[in-house]
Amino acid sequence: MPLTDPLRIIGDDAASDQLVTAIGHRTGILPVRVDEEPRPGDVVVRIDPDAAAEAYALTVGEIVELTGSANGLLHGIRTLMQLLADDGDGRWTWRRARIADAPRFAYRGVMLDVARRFFPVDEVEKVIDRIADLKFNHLHLHLSDDQGWRIHIDSWPLLSQLSSTVSATGDGRATGGGCYSKDDYRTIVSYAASRGITIVPEIDMPGHTHAIGIAYPELVEAPVMNEHLLDDAKRLGHALPEAGVPYTGWGVGHSSLRIHEKRTYEFVRDVLAELAELTPGPYLHIGGDESLGTSPADFAYFIERATGIVQELGKTPVAWHEAGAAEVAPGTVGQYWGLLAPDASHAEHTAHFVERGGRVILSPSDAAYLDMKYDHDFPLGLAWAGTVDLHRAYDWQPTALLDIPADAVAGVEAPLWTETVESLDEADQLMFPRIAAIAEIAWSTSDRTRDWNDFRERLAAQAPAWRADGIRFHPVPEIDWSDR
Ligand code: TNX
C-alpha cells in the first residue's frame, strides 16, 4: 500500500499527534489532519472504549484503521511505523496487515542507572522514545548509589549539592555528575506518561549509600572493604572508598546506612515521602541489593521498616531479590536478578515475596542485563554474569525460570547499569539490539509463539528506522542487517 502524499490522518487523540510527528520525521511526508469520512489511503485512529488496558486492533488495507484503548493506540502507532517500508526509490509503502494485539505482561520495564553515569533530562527523553517504540511501559530510574545521588530532596538539601558531583568512570577518574531538580523529574514523568510509560524511582538502601555520607555523614557507617572490591580496585586502578570523599570506582558492598539510628528513618521517610509526592505511578523501589556492609539481622530489620514506610505512603514497595530474606511488607514486589539457572538462596528469597502476597519482576542477569558484554572482545560492559549475545537475550522463558505460579510473574525488566557507559551512544550499543529481544519476551502472548529465525528477520528490517532515529545499535553477527 503506497503512502499517499499528502497523507490524511483522521483522529484527535495523543496517538495521532505522535503518528503525525513520526511519519514526518521518518519519510519527510507531512501528514495532514482532517475531520472527514475516510477515503482510500487515509489513516483512521479511533479510541475503542471497550478495549482492554493496552490492547489495539490494526488493519492496513485500502484504509489504515487503528482502534484501541488510549495506551493501546500508542502501541498501535508503533506497530504501524514498523510496517512502513521504503522501496528504495524513495517511495514509502505500508505492509498490509491485520492485527489484534495486547501484551502478555502488565510490567515491561527497562532500568537506567543514572547514579553511576548521570543522564541529563534530554537524554532520558531519548531513552523513553527508544523504549516506548518497543512497547515497554515502565522506566525504572536507579536514582542513587555509592557514586551519586540524583534527585533533589527539599528536606535534605545537601544531597543535591554535595552528593551528586561525580559519576563512575571507566578509569576511576571523577567526571561530571548531576542531579535532577524536582521540575526536571516532573518533566521526565510527564514526558514518559505521554508515551504510555510509568516511572519507577529507586533509592538504593541500606547498601549502595556511600554518596549520602558526603552530605550527611551521621547517616552512614564507615566503609567496610570486601575481597572482591579490593581485587577489582587493584585490577582497574580505582581508588578505595573513603568516608566523606566522592567515590568513582566500581566496587560494591562497602557502604551501609546506620540501621539503629532514629535519624536514619526520618531520612528514609522524608525522602520516600517527597518521591511519592512526585511520582504518580504505583511503585517506589527501595533497592536492597548487595548490602554486604550490613549484618543479615540489621538488613532484615531495615527492609521491614523501609517497605512498611513505602506502604504507609500509599505506594507499592519494590526491592531487589535479596530483600526477600526479610519479612517485607505484604504485597512488596521482588526483582530477581540472579541467573537463568537460579541459585537456591536467590530462588528462595524471590519466592518469599510471593508468599507475602507480592509479585516478581524478572531480570535474569545472564540474559536480561543490558550491561553484560556481547562477547569478551566487546569494549563496553561487564562480564560477571557471563557474556550475553542476542540469542541468549531472546531464548528464555519467563514463567519457567522460578518455581512460582505463572500469575506471580508481574513481568520482565532489562537493566542498564552504567559503570562503563559514558554517553548515550555507548548506552545505545549495549541496549540495541538486545533490548528488542527482551521487549518481545515481555510482550508476546506465550513462549511458543516466539521464533528465533522469525525474530531475526523482523529485527533486520528495523535497522533503517533505528538509523533514522540516530540509534547506534551494535550490528551483532547473528542478524543479516538490511542496509536500507
Ligand atoms: C550488580 S544487579 C548490581 C549493581 C551493578 C551491577 C553491574 C544489582 C541489583 N546490583 O550495583 O551496577 O551488578 O552489572
Side-chain angles (χ1 to χ4, degrees):
M1 281 284 306
L3 267 68
T4 55
D5 190 1
L7 175 68
R8 307 193 332 153
I9 296 191
I10 301 168
D12 59 3
D13 49 279
S16 42
D17 288 345
Q18 288 175 34
L19 183 62
V20 167
T21 311
I23 292 174
H25 176 76
R26 183 82 198 285
T27 67
I29 297 173
L30 204 61
V32 291
R33 309 285 293 264
V34 296
D35 183 13
E36 288 173 23
E37 282 303 301
R39 52 187 206 219
D42 288 356
V43 177
V44 184
V45 178
R46 210 162 28 77
I47 294 261
D48 171 0
D50 298 325
E54 295 189 89
Y56 68 92
L58 176 64
T59 307
V60 183
E62 294 302 304
I63 293 173
V64 176
E65 198 173 2
L66 172 64
T67 61
S69 65
N71 280 347
L73 291 182
L74 295 174
H75 298 316
I77 63 169
R78 289 157 194 147
T79 300
L80 184 57
M81 291 306 292
Q82 289 172 345
L83 295 170
L84 190 59
D86 171 1
D87 70 0
D89 298 321
R91 271 194 306 268
W92 291 91
T93 58
W94 302 119
R95 282 182 280 248
R96 282 177 181 267
R98 189 179 199 93
I99 296 169
D101 202 7
R104 177 182 190 186
F105 292 113
Y107 190 103
R108 306 180 306 282
V110 170
M111 189 205 80
L112 186 62
D113 174 4
V114 296
R116 267 53 173 273
R117 193 254 174 194
F118 181 69
F119 286 73
V121 174
D122 64 310
E123 289 184 354
V124 176
E125 290 181 346
K126 288 192 175 129
V127 170
I128 289 170
D129 288 338
R130 283 156 168 64
I131 71 174
D133 278 346
L134 293 167
K135 304 189 178 80
F136 285 99
N137 65 355
H138 288 81
L139 175 64
H140 166 182
L141 291 176
H142 185 73
L143 289 169
S144 72
D145 212 300
D146 291 312
Q147 294 81 356
W149 181 281
R150 308 300 182 199
I151 176 84
H152 178 75
I153 300 293
D154 293 329
S155 52
W156 297 79
L158 297 183
L159 292 167
S160 49
Q161 278 177 43
L162 302 177
S163 300
S164 66
T165 56
V166 302
S167 286
T169 65
D171 57 7
R173 272 182 306 109
T175 53
C179 191
Y180 305 119
S181 67
K182 287 194 163 176
D183 277 344
D184 289 341
Y185 185 83
R186 286 188 195 101
T187 302
I188 292 171
V189 166
S190 71
Y191 190 88
S194 72
R195 269 102 186 134
I197 290 183
T198 301
I199 298 294
V200 180
E202 176 187 355
I203 299 297
D204 201 351
M205 304 178 286
H208 291 276
T209 44
H210 180 90
I212 296 170
I214 297 174
Y216 298 103
E218 71 276 20
L219 294 176
V220 301
E221 301 288 357
V224 282
M225 304 302 154
N226 57 65
E227 211 170 298
H228 202 75
L229 181 144
L230 294 170
D231 284 354
D232 265 3
K234 198 155 164 202
R235 184 170 52 87
L236 298 161
H238 292 171
L240 294 176
E242 207 181 311
V245 178
Y247 179 59
T248 57
W250 301 349
V252 298
H254 50 88
S255 55
S256 178
L257 289 175
R258 292 198 178 152
I259 303 301
H260 299 287
E261 298 290 332
K262 192 162 158 266
R263 201 159 151 74
T264 299
Y265 299 92
E266 289 164 9
F267 170 82
V268 171
R269 183 177 299 276
D270 290 345
V271 167
L272 293 175
E274 289 191 35
L275 255 190
E277 196 190 297
L278 288 170
T279 302
Y283 302 116
L284 291 189
H285 199 309
I286 57 139
D289 58 318
E290 301 174 320
S291 296
L292 310 176
T294 317
S295 75
D298 282 359
F299 177 71
Y301 174 81
F302 178 86
I303 293 292
E304 281 182 50
R305 282 195 73 170
T307 54
I309 290 170
V310 172
Q311 238 174 19
E312 282 162 31
L313 293 166
K315 298 288 184 186
T316 303
V318 187
W320 297 105
H321 71 233
E322 291 99 311
E327 293 304 292
V328 291
T332 300
V333 172
Q335 184 165 8
Y336 175 76
W337 62 280
L339 304 176
L340 287 177
D343 179 277
S345 80
H346 296 170
E348 210 177 289
H349 291 155
T350 311
H352 193 54
F353 289 92
V354 181
E355 285 151 25
R356 305 275 301 160
R359 304 214 293 164
V360 171
I361 295 167
L362 299 171
S363 303
S365 43
D366 53 351
Y369 265 35
L370 297 168
D371 69 317
M372 289 301 118
K373 290 176 181 289
Y374 291 89
D375 56 63
H376 282 290
D377 294 332
F378 197 70
L380 303 169
L382 304 173
W384 63 262
T387 57
V388 178
D389 60 17
L390 181 63
H391 183 257
R392 194 170 175 87
Y394 187 75
D395 190 29
W396 58 282
Q397 304 196 359
T399 49
L401 185 51
L402 295 165
D403 194 10
I404 54 175
D407 63 3
V409 177
V412 173
E413 183 176 291
L416 179 66
W417 302 99
T418 55
E419 288 93 335
T420 68
V421 175
E422 293 199 41
S423 62
L424 183 59
D425 250 24
E426 293 185 353
D428 274 347
Q429 292 173 55
L430 285 165
M431 289 192 290
F432 287 84
R434 291 181 294 194
I435 196 171
I438 304 302
E440 184 146 317
I441 290 174
W443 183 279
S444 297
T445 48
S446 90
D447 295 316
R448 277 177 298 115
T449 58
R450 283 192 285 114
D451 178 79
W452 166 243
N453 284 321
D454 185 58
F455 175 69
R456 288 175 60 225
E457 268 174 43
R458 286 180 288 112
L459 196 66
Q462 291 315 304
W466 289 350
R467 290 193 192 101
D469 286 341
I471 298 175
R472 264 289 295 279
F473 63 92
H474 174 48
V476 297
E478 295 146 293
I479 302 294
D480 296 323
W481 296 101
S482 136
D483 46 12
R484 281 217 316 269

